Amino acid sequence: MKLTIIGGGGFRVPQVYQAVAAQDAPVRLDEVALYDVDVGRLDVIHRIITELAQQLPHAPRLTVTTDLDEALTGADFIFAAVRIGGLRGRIGDERVALDLGVLGQETTGPGGLAYALRTVPVMTALAHRIAQLAPEAWTINFTNPAGIVTEAMRKVLGDKVVGICDTPIGLMRRTSAAVAAASGSPLETVQPGSFDYVGLNHLGWLRSVAVEGIDLLPTLLADDSLLDGIEEARLMGHDWVRALGALPNEYLYYYYFTREATAKIRAAEHTRGEFLQQEQSAFYAEVGHAGCGSLQTWLDVQHRRESSYMAESRPDGAAGARRMDDVQGGYQQVALDLMAAIANDRPATMILNIANDGLVPQLPDEAVIEVGCVVTAEGVKPWPIAPVTGHMLGLMASVKAVEQLTIEAALTRSSELAWKAFALHPLVDSIAVGRALLDGYRQVHPGLARALD
Ligand code: G6P
Ligand code: MN
């Protein structure tokens, strides 16, 4: 089997390789092909993986290419994890919004829409190439904003593209530990229907977790010591998760504490994008020049990245602090589990980004939502969930509407639709600011100015 990684020069790619090459990896690959447009970055990551592979007993053959067609040909699985516009693009997405007094964040709020506007056309073109050269392949999309990008790619690839994210997995990991502490038995997350998570990517809620048919979420929510082990509850307040009656995805922090998060990010010297650009450009330059020791450098930079995750927006003190358990990435695990379930036809339950198809009847069928799913060789199927109502439905519907406007704007090159999307985003408080966002993004992203009429 061949796995192709689009964005093979990306910083987190060695984590994926490490996962698929581990002794106990549930799936055996013959080849991992790294594709990237940037030869320098590709070379650095190639070097790190080569060092890693020396320690791994089942290291699949590694090939590296800047030829997309060569990369896609013969692929069984395609991981797409690219950052169109690079970290410079991310900085622009964050800064333009912050300078206008609204949230400036990679994926949430107007920054995410700007990111989507330049990413959707590229990923749509990639989807067409995949459809031509590897029509049987499964595409696993990590490219952010993952919900929007997956929805755009589905227009070409249908059910053969699935979006993934590590944040619901992190929430499930922490919740499972708390449930095990409360009940003495581990949460049977392998059972379809054993939990109810629903939302959009980076905007969802865990609404129940059942052990032997009994929902333990109310027990968990009532217990401060158990909630203390759950990062999301510390971040948004025990009282707030109790009031909600659910555990929110960590990105909901930006909706529930918009004012505080925006003020904190604006007051900081650097945005997350600026911090990462410094770190990453130093890393790629250093490893690009050095001959050996690249793996250790990568591990150090990776640790600094994970432990400072969301730091620019979190509250100071214990509530905002990360714990060692929280500092485990997880997206490579999601990707691996998904491949294994499909390749081995061993059913697995996971939280994935798939088409709504009536699951939340008030949302369009083609809307990509994030829900608990069973994965088999046949593909990905969600299980029935409780009705989504009230504020959850309202927020999902309004954010999904602006996501769909953004896709439409990108595909039809419509600046009017792009303005509409910015202006109607629930985190943008004026249509005039919506207009200013569009103008600002056109200025900092010349590609965007060219892409919209
Ligand atoms: C999580 C999210 C990703 C996001 C990343 C940002 O892993 O699930 O979608 O891209 O955080 O992390 P960073 O280190 O780039 O700020
Ligand atoms: Mn994510």
Side-chain angles (χ1 to χ4, degrees):
M1 269 191 312
K2 174 178 172 181
L3 165 68
T4 295
I5 303 184
I6 306 293
F11 183 77
R12 293 188 170 113
V13 166
Q15 290 167 225
V16 178
Y17 188 86
Q18 215 169 5
V20 298
Q23 182 136 30
D24 54 356
V27 66
R28 284 274 154 260
L29 296 173
D30 306 298
E31 179 184 352
V32 175
L34 305 185
Y35 162 81
D36 206 292
V37 291
D38 185 327
V39 192
R41 286 167 61 96
L42 205 48
D43 182 51
V44 163
I45 296 303
H46 185 189
R47 228 182 293 169
I48 288 164
I49 295 182
T50 308
E51 253 190 80
L52 258 181
Q54 287 163 6
Q55 307 163 7
L56 296 165
H58 299 289
R61 185 156 57 92
L62 185 67
T63 55
V64 171
T65 179
T66 53
D67 180 341
L68 180 62
D69 291 4
E70 184 188 319
L72 294 179
T73 304
D76 298 285
F77 291 100
I78 296 161
F79 288 1
V82 299
R83 186 181 286 286
I84 305 302
L87 283 165
R88 275 179 65 115
R90 178 169 179 176
I91 293 170
D93 295 342
E94 294 164 346
R95 276 287 169 213
V96 166
L98 292 172
D99 288 348
L100 289 165
V102 290
L103 178 73
Q105 211 279 329
E106 179 197 19
T107 59
T108 300
L113 301 188
Y115 191 9
L117 283 173
R118 66 175 177 280
T119 306
V120 163
V122 179
M123 298 307 282
T124 301
L126 172 67
H128 281 293
R129 210 69 207 128
I130 294 173
Q132 280 223 307
L133 294 172
E136 298 303 315
W138 288 91
T139 299
I140 303 172
N141 178 53
F142 304 151
T143 302
N144 269 328
I148 304 182
V149 169
T150 305
E151 188 165 325
M153 293 182 87
R154 278 188 55 85
K155 293 181 192 295
V156 182
L157 296 171
D159 292 342
K160 283 279 175 150
V161 56
V162 180
I164 70 169
C165 176
D166 57 347
T167 59
I169 302 304
L171 175 59
M172 287 308 294
R173 188 171 62 225
R174 294 183 269 276
T175 306
S176 302
V179 165
S183 68
S185 55
L187 178 64
E188 275 295 309
T189 48
V190 288
Q191 286 306 320
S194 62
F195 61 89
D196 180 319
Y197 181 95
V198 66
L200 309 182
N201 178 236
H202 291 187
L203 190 164
W205 301 265
L206 180 61
R207 302 182 302 166
S208 71
V209 278
V211 172
E212 289 169 10
I214 297 169
D215 181 12
L216 287 186
L217 196 61
T219 312
L220 218 162
L221 293 177
D223 187 326
D224 279 324
S225 65
L226 293 175
L227 284 184
D228 194 52
I230 298 181
E231 192 176 27
E232 290 77 358
R234 289 201 307 279
L235 194 58
M236 291 176 248
H238 294 186
D239 49 355
W240 179 241
V241 298
R242 274 182 204 127
L244 274 178
L247 287 170
N249 180 289
E250 62 197 356
Y251 277 84
L252 276 163
Y253 182 76
Y254 296 115
Y255 288 92
Y256 297 150
F257 289 91
T258 313
R259 185 180 288 230
E260 293 81 355
T262 308
K264 184 118 200 286
I265 302 176
R266 288 185 78 187
E269 197 181 338
H270 300 296
T271 65
R272 178 70 173 165
E274 288 160 356
F275 165 76
L276 286 175
Q277 193 189 36
Q278 275 178 12
E279 287 269 303
Q280 300 268 300
S281 52
F283 162 77
Y284 280 98
E286 185 184 330
V287 176
H289 292 125
C292 55
S294 327
L295 181 57
Q296 193 51 50
T297 309
W298 177 75
L299 288 168
D300 294 344
V301 176
Q302 185 198 33
H303 181 74
R304 279 206 297 278
R305 183 176 194 165
E306 296 301 337
S307 47
S308 61
Y309 171 66
M310 269 182 129
E312 80 293 355
S313 49
R314 286 167 190 273
D316 296 323
R322 298 209 91 188
R323 302 197 177 160
M324 275 332 282
D325 281 0
D326 303 328
V327 186
Q328 300 174 24
Y331 88 137
Q332 65 280 11
Q333 197 57 45
V334 190
L336 181 65
D337 291 348
L338 182 57
M339 281 197 300
I342 291 171
N344 305 340
D345 199 17
R346 246 197 348 238
T349 61
M350 328 183 54
I351 298 173
L352 298 168
N353 288 271
I354 56 155
N356 173 43
D357 265 338
L359 201 63
V360 182
Q362 299 88 343
L363 296 182
D365 280 350
E366 79 284 4
V368 163
I369 61 171
E370 199 166 80
V371 276
C373 298
V374 187
V375 186
T376 63
E378 300 294 301
V380 182
K381 293 253 169 321
W383 56 75
I385 53 168
V388 183
T389 57
H391 65 94
M392 292 179 185
L393 178 62
L395 190 53
M396 279 177 75
S398 59
V399 173
K400 182 47 74 181
V402 302
E403 291 187 358
Q404 294 198 324
L405 283 167
T406 304
I407 296 175
E408 211 40 42
L411 296 179
T412 61
R413 307 168 52 98
S414 164
S415 51
E416 188 184 49
L417 286 179
W419 171 42
K420 215 169 151 185
F422 285 122
L424 292 175
H425 196 292
L427 297 181
V428 174
D429 55 356
S430 146
I431 57 170
V433 174
R435 171 72 77 195
L437 283 162
L438 178 59
D439 293 344
Y441 285 129
R442 286 174 119 149
Q443 269 172 27
V444 300
H445 302 314
L448 188 63
R450 284 193 299 273
L452 295 175
D453 288 331

